[in-house]
Amino acid sequence: MASRSGEVVRNKQVIFRDYVSGSPEETDMEVRESVLELRVPEGSNGVLVRNLYLSCDPYMRIRMRKLDVPSYRESFHPGSPIIGYGVARVLESGHPNFKKGDLIWGITGWEECSLITAPETCFKIEHTDVPLSYYTGLLGMPGMTAYVGFFKVCSPKKGETVFISAASGAVGQLVGQFAKLMGCYVVGSAGSKEKVDLLKNKFGFDDAFNYKEELDLDATLKRLYVKDEKLHGRIAACGMISQYNLEQPEGVCNLMNLILKQVRMEGFVVSDYYHLYPKFLETVLPQIKEGKIVYVEDIAKGLENSPAALVGLFSGHNVGKQVIMVSRE
């Protein structure tokens, strides 16, 4: 829809109500309308945008609790809109890197229009011959997470065995395809038969299993040639969705194996690697266009459906990358 600078419009928002303990519920968020003047404040380097697609990501659960210690992300603020990654069209700009009409992806609000006060965290979208929603996933933060975790943290070699948990999600489905393109043997775990079939038949995994149906995970991993006597394994940890809703995180009971097998485990935060984004695009865009990488999205339409979509992440409701479509323009 067209709009004029300075016009006052209704702005539907998803408001975070209060800090959460345990599993999040839809009632922890509220969809309501406010009013917004379509203008960047004078002297500001902010960017006013109309949001097109929003990203539902498991890490957002961390931001729903009140953090008592410094974190790489601050808590959501009760009474304010949820904040997350999204794709948007620039309406007005006070920043030299962006102009009216540009498409961008980065951190924005869960609302129809947002004033982004830190636009230096956003990326201008130069390639529009792929679905714009991909910039919430495959070509956005999850894609970069898969790329960094696999190629930079794990330093893979052809012929190695790769195991991926939450393998049908936004990150896992890409790691598996990167690994197959390198000539690795790839096994993934997921939480339903539908997702296991997706891993094997859509994404080309060598094998996969439903972790909810396996009584002995050690035996399962041995059967699938994942757990053996190989030394110098590497573990890249980018998230732990199983722990986000727990008040008391679970412990690890077999750390001695890190020593005996000479295994390296490394956690990472993808935003530390955003300087590699141009290189990432050079690698991934041709593979998408040549059909070597495929991507599955689960798109919910309308801001009013975003609380259910976000909560659904923690019960495995989504199949593939969960996206909210706010506007088709």
Side-chain angles (χ1 to χ4, degrees), residues 72-73 85 105 107 121 123 141 144-145 148 268-276:
Y72 75 100
R73 295 193 190 281
Y85 284 94
W105 74 267
I107 299 294
T121 63
F123 295 84
M141 180 274 289
M144 274 294 292
T145 301
V148 168
F268 69 97
V269 176
V270 68
S271 55
D272 289 346
Y273 294 86
Y274 277 163
H275 61 282
L276 298 176

Short mmCIF file of all heavy atoms in Angstrom, two decimals, residues 72-73 85 105 107 121 123 141 144-145 148 268-276:
data_model
loop_
_atom_site.label_atom_id
_atom_site.label_comp_id
_atom_site.label_asym_id
_atom_site.label_seq_id
_atom_site.Cartn_x
_atom_site.Cartn_y
_atom_site.Cartn_z
N TYR A 72 24.41 -11.81 25.30
CA TYR A 72 24.61 -11.22 23.99
C TYR A 72 23.30 -10.65 23.44
O TYR A 72 23.30 -9.89 22.49
CB TYR A 72 25.20 -12.25 23.01
CG TYR A 72 24.24 -13.30 22.51
CD1 TYR A 72 23.66 -13.18 21.25
CD2 TYR A 72 23.91 -14.42 23.27
CE1 TYR A 72 22.78 -14.13 20.77
CE2 TYR A 72 23.06 -15.39 22.80
CZ TYR A 72 22.49 -15.24 21.55
OH TYR A 72 21.63 -16.19 21.08
N ARG A 73 22.18 -10.98 24.08
CA ARG A 73 20.91 -10.36 23.74
C ARG A 73 20.20 -9.97 25.04
O ARG A 73 20.21 -10.73 26.00
CB ARG A 73 20.00 -11.32 22.95
CG ARG A 73 20.57 -11.69 21.59
CD ARG A 73 19.50 -12.37 20.76
NE ARG A 73 20.06 -12.95 19.56
CZ ARG A 73 20.37 -12.27 18.47
NH1 ARG A 73 20.19 -10.98 18.44
NH2 ARG A 73 20.87 -12.88 17.41
N TYR A 85 14.27 -11.09 13.95
CA TYR A 85 14.71 -10.88 12.57
C TYR A 85 13.50 -10.79 11.64
O TYR A 85 12.47 -11.43 11.85
CB TYR A 85 15.62 -12.03 12.13
CG TYR A 85 17.00 -11.95 12.70
CD1 TYR A 85 17.33 -12.62 13.88
CD2 TYR A 85 17.99 -11.20 12.07
CE1 TYR A 85 18.61 -12.54 14.41
CE2 TYR A 85 19.27 -11.11 12.59
CZ TYR A 85 19.57 -11.78 13.77
OH TYR A 85 20.83 -11.71 14.29
N TRP A 105 17.04 -6.83 5.51
CA TRP A 105 16.73 -7.82 6.53
C TRP A 105 17.60 -7.53 7.76
O TRP A 105 18.70 -7.01 7.64
CB TRP A 105 16.93 -9.26 6.04
CG TRP A 105 18.35 -9.74 5.87
CD1 TRP A 105 19.11 -9.70 4.73
CD2 TRP A 105 19.18 -10.36 6.88
NE1 TRP A 105 20.35 -10.24 4.96
CE2 TRP A 105 20.42 -10.67 6.27
CE3 TRP A 105 18.99 -10.69 8.22
CZ2 TRP A 105 21.47 -11.27 6.96
CZ3 TRP A 105 20.03 -11.30 8.91
CH2 TRP A 105 21.25 -11.59 8.27
N ILE A 107 17.19 -6.97 12.43
CA ILE A 107 16.36 -6.92 13.62
C ILE A 107 15.29 -5.83 13.48
O ILE A 107 15.60 -4.67 13.22
CB ILE A 107 17.21 -6.65 14.87
CG1 ILE A 107 18.24 -7.77 15.07
CG2 ILE A 107 16.32 -6.52 16.10
CD1 ILE A 107 17.64 -9.12 15.41
N THR A 121 22.73 -2.70 12.00
CA THR A 121 22.64 -4.15 12.18
C THR A 121 21.89 -4.81 11.03
O THR A 121 21.73 -6.03 11.02
CB THR A 121 21.92 -4.49 13.50
OG1 THR A 121 20.57 -4.00 13.44
CG2 THR A 121 22.64 -3.87 14.69
N PHE A 123 20.97 -5.56 6.81
CA PHE A 123 21.62 -5.81 5.53
C PHE A 123 20.68 -5.43 4.40
O PHE A 123 19.49 -5.79 4.43
CB PHE A 123 21.98 -7.30 5.38
CG PHE A 123 23.01 -7.79 6.36
CD1 PHE A 123 22.63 -8.21 7.63
CD2 PHE A 123 24.35 -7.85 6.02
CE1 PHE A 123 23.56 -8.68 8.53
CE2 PHE A 123 25.29 -8.32 6.91
CZ PHE A 123 24.89 -8.72 8.18
N MET A 141 19.86 -15.04 9.09
CA MET A 141 20.57 -15.50 10.27
C MET A 141 20.70 -17.02 10.35
O MET A 141 21.81 -17.54 10.60
CB MET A 141 19.89 -14.93 11.53
CG MET A 141 20.55 -15.33 12.84
SD MET A 141 19.97 -16.91 13.50
CE MET A 141 18.31 -16.49 14.02
N MET A 144 23.32 -18.24 7.81
CA MET A 144 24.66 -17.89 8.27
C MET A 144 25.10 -18.78 9.42
O MET A 144 26.27 -19.17 9.52
CB MET A 144 24.71 -16.43 8.70
CG MET A 144 24.98 -15.45 7.58
SD MET A 144 26.64 -15.64 6.88
CE MET A 144 27.67 -15.08 8.25
N THR A 145 24.16 -19.14 10.31
CA THR A 145 24.49 -20.02 11.43
C THR A 145 24.94 -21.38 10.92
O THR A 145 25.93 -21.96 11.40
CB THR A 145 23.26 -20.18 12.36
OG1 THR A 145 22.88 -18.90 12.85
CG2 THR A 145 23.59 -21.09 13.53
N VAL A 148 28.47 -20.93 9.19
CA VAL A 148 29.57 -20.71 10.14
C VAL A 148 29.82 -21.95 10.97
O VAL A 148 30.97 -22.38 11.15
CB VAL A 148 29.25 -19.50 11.05
CG1 VAL A 148 30.22 -19.43 12.22
CG2 VAL A 148 29.28 -18.21 10.25
N PHE A 268 29.07 -20.87 19.61
CA PHE A 268 29.34 -19.63 18.88
C PHE A 268 28.07 -18.82 18.73
O PHE A 268 26.96 -19.35 18.81
CB PHE A 268 29.95 -19.93 17.50
CG PHE A 268 29.00 -20.57 16.52
CD1 PHE A 268 28.31 -19.82 15.58
CD2 PHE A 268 28.81 -21.95 16.53
CE1 PHE A 268 27.44 -20.41 14.69
CE2 PHE A 268 27.92 -22.56 15.64
CZ PHE A 268 27.24 -21.79 14.71
N VAL A 269 28.23 -17.53 18.54
CA VAL A 269 27.13 -16.60 18.29
C VAL A 269 27.31 -16.07 16.87
O VAL A 269 28.35 -15.47 16.54
CB VAL A 269 27.14 -15.45 19.31
CG1 VAL A 269 26.06 -14.44 18.99
CG2 VAL A 269 26.97 -15.99 20.73
N VAL A 270 26.33 -16.29 16.02
CA VAL A 270 26.50 -16.03 14.60
C VAL A 270 26.77 -14.57 14.29
O VAL A 270 27.47 -14.25 13.30
CB VAL A 270 25.26 -16.54 13.82
CG1 VAL A 270 24.03 -15.70 14.14
CG2 VAL A 270 25.53 -16.55 12.32
N SER A 271 26.26 -13.65 15.10
CA SER A 271 26.47 -12.23 14.80
C SER A 271 27.95 -11.84 14.83
O SER A 271 28.34 -10.84 14.23
CB SER A 271 25.68 -11.36 15.78
OG SER A 271 26.01 -11.66 17.12
N ASP A 272 28.79 -12.64 15.48
CA ASP A 272 30.22 -12.38 15.47
C ASP A 272 30.85 -12.65 14.11
O ASP A 272 32.00 -12.28 13.86
CB ASP A 272 30.94 -13.24 16.52
CG ASP A 272 30.65 -12.79 17.94
OD1 ASP A 272 30.13 -11.68 18.12
OD2 ASP A 272 30.96 -13.56 18.88
N TYR A 273 30.08 -13.30 13.22
CA TYR A 273 30.62 -13.71 11.92
C TYR A 273 29.92 -13.01 10.75
O TYR A 273 30.12 -13.40 9.59
CB TYR A 273 30.47 -15.22 11.75
CG TYR A 273 31.31 -16.04 12.70
CD1 TYR A 273 30.84 -16.35 13.97
CD2 TYR A 273 32.57 -16.51 12.33
CE1 TYR A 273 31.61 -17.11 14.85
CE2 TYR A 273 33.34 -17.27 13.20
CZ TYR A 273 32.85 -17.56 14.46
OH TYR A 273 33.60 -18.33 15.33
N TYR A 274 29.14 -11.98 11.04
CA TYR A 274 28.39 -11.35 9.95
C TYR A 274 29.29 -10.67 8.92
O TYR A 274 28.84 -10.37 7.80
CB TYR A 274 27.38 -10.34 10.51
CG TYR A 274 26.08 -10.98 10.96
CD1 TYR A 274 25.21 -10.28 11.81
CD2 TYR A 274 25.71 -12.24 10.55
CE1 TYR A 274 24.01 -10.85 12.23
CE2 TYR A 274 24.52 -12.82 10.95
CZ TYR A 274 23.67 -12.12 11.80
OH TYR A 274 22.49 -12.69 12.19
N HIS A 275 30.55 -10.45 9.26
CA HIS A 275 31.46 -9.89 8.26
C HIS A 275 31.68 -10.87 7.10
O HIS A 275 32.17 -10.48 6.03
CB HIS A 275 32.81 -9.53 8.91
CG HIS A 275 33.52 -10.70 9.51
ND1 HIS A 275 33.17 -11.25 10.73
CD2 HIS A 275 34.56 -11.45 9.06
CE1 HIS A 275 33.97 -12.27 11.01
NE2 HIS A 275 34.81 -12.42 10.01
N LEU A 276 31.31 -12.15 7.30
CA LEU A 276 31.46 -13.16 6.26
C LEU A 276 30.23 -13.25 5.35
O LEU A 276 30.20 -14.09 4.45
CB LEU A 276 31.71 -14.54 6.89
CG LEU A 276 32.98 -14.69 7.74
CD1 LEU A 276 33.03 -16.08 8.36
CD2 LEU A 276 34.22 -14.44 6.89
#
